[in-house]
Amino acid sequence: EHDLWKYVYFLSYLRSKDQTEYSGVETYVAEMLERQDLSFVPSRTSLVIQNRKIGIGDEGDIEGHIGEMIDLAVGSITKTISSLTASITEVTARLDDPESQPKVVR
């Protein structure tokens, strides 16, 4: 499967990296981006779609499958955010609680 966030992270990485240190692939993608050419991003297919043998000509099936994949990704992201929020809340509570602070031994 293609994780859209990996593409976002990669593009962010490219922006932060010195162009003189690009690898061949990074140079290729950077040049495509300068031309506003996004054809390096897979479109309308993935290994999951190919393995399930969803016909490329049947746009309804593809769109439905992509919609399912997006729903799953959103659900996963939502669970991760909830978990992170709970962890941050717990850490904040511990930091605010003087009893949980480490004791300084002198």
Side-chain angles (χ1 to χ4, degrees):
E1 290 187 37
H2 298 285
D3 183 357
L4 180 60
W5 287 108
K6 289 183 182 178
Y7 290 96
V8 172
Y9 294 137
F10 178 69
L11 297 178
S12 175
Y13 165 77
L14 277 183
R15 284 186 157 187
S16 67
K17 187 173 181 178
D18 185 345
Q19 292 180 356
T20 61
E21 299 198 11
Y22 282 171
S23 70
V25 171
E26 293 166 346
T27 300
Y28 174 76
V29 171
E31 289 172 355
M32 292 184 81
L33 289 172
E34 285 179 22
R35 294 189 308 264
Q36 297 182 355
D37 179 357
L38 299 177
S39 62
F40 67 92
V41 178
S43 175
R44 299 178 50 109
T45 191
S46 71
L47 288 176
V48 171
I49 292 172
Q50 291 170 0
N51 288 340
R52 290 189 180 182
K53 296 183 176 30
I54 295 174
I56 295 298
D58 191 350
E59 290 191 24
D61 284 349
I62 292 172
E63 290 173 3
H65 181 68
I66 290 172
E68 290 172 20
M69 289 172 39
I70 290 171
D71 289 344
L72 289 172
V74 168
S76 175
I77 291 169
T78 301
K79 287 179 185 176
T80 301
I81 290 172
S82 295
S83 175
L84 289 172
T85 302
S87 295
I88 290 169
T89 301
E90 181 182 337
V91 168
T92 302
R94 286 184 184 175
L95 289 173
D96 291 342
D97 181 11
E99 291 297 317
S100 68
Q101 299 298 318
K103 305 294 185 230
V104 178
V105 178
R106 295 185 183 183

